Amino acid sequence: MTMTTVRRVGPAAGLSSRIAAGVLAVGVALTVAAPAGAAAQAAPPAKPYGTVAAQSGLNLRAYPSTDSSVKGTLANRAQVGLVCKVRAQNIAGNDVWYLVRDSRKVWVPARYVVATGAVKYCKDVLR
């Protein structure tokens, strides 16, 4: 009995080796890119900070009241630095408003912001 070696000729000859090389290249690229993608996420602001918990976003107000003008908006899950808090207009059972750490001096209702870190009252911070 004689054994015959089959040799492929033509475009399909190196297909399996080209596929293997392509899979390896993609795997290496994903491995290298993964840490860079993880590092690209922004770190939260310094404490205290708040995370917006309003599905449709949150208005930034000139004063701690819904009667004051809107100075901007924050998207749901946005994180923003907080300076201090005051008691003002009651929003759905919560009368606390936060002064945002921003040069524009804007306010957000605590009802829609989850605070991280201790937020002091403005009378104790702004003297």
Side-chain angles (χ1 to χ4, degrees):
M1 194 177 222
T2 0
M3 293 203 130
T4 311
T5 305
V6 177
R7 185 165 187 245
R8 292 185 182 154
V9 180
L15 184 60
S16 61
S17 62
R18 287 193 305 254
I19 290 173
V23 169
L24 179 63
V26 169
V28 169
L30 290 175
T31 304
V32 171
Q41 293 177 352
K47 288 183 181 177
Y49 69 91
T51 304
V52 175
Q55 291 296 323
S56 60
L58 188 62
N59 289 331
L60 298 168
R61 299 282 183 171
Y63 300 99
S65 167
T66 57
D67 292 334
S68 68
S69 60
V70 175
K71 297 296 184 180
T73 59
L74 293 172
N76 185 37
R77 297 186 184 154
Q79 294 181 327
V80 62
L82 304 174
V83 175
C84 57
K85 63 185 176 182
V86 295
R87 293 197 180 278
Q89 181 184 9
N90 189 313
I91 306 293
N94 190 332
D95 65 353
V96 175
W97 285 70
Y98 296 123
L99 177 61
V100 174
R101 195 178 323 139
D102 188 310
S103 61
R104 296 179 294 169
K105 303 269 185 183
V106 293
W107 297 84
V108 291
R111 170 68 178 93
Y112 301 107
V113 176
V114 177
T116 301
V119 183
K120 296 181 180 182
Y121 281 97
C122 291
K123 67 180 181 69
D124 298 329
V125 175
L126 307 174
R127 293 183 183 243

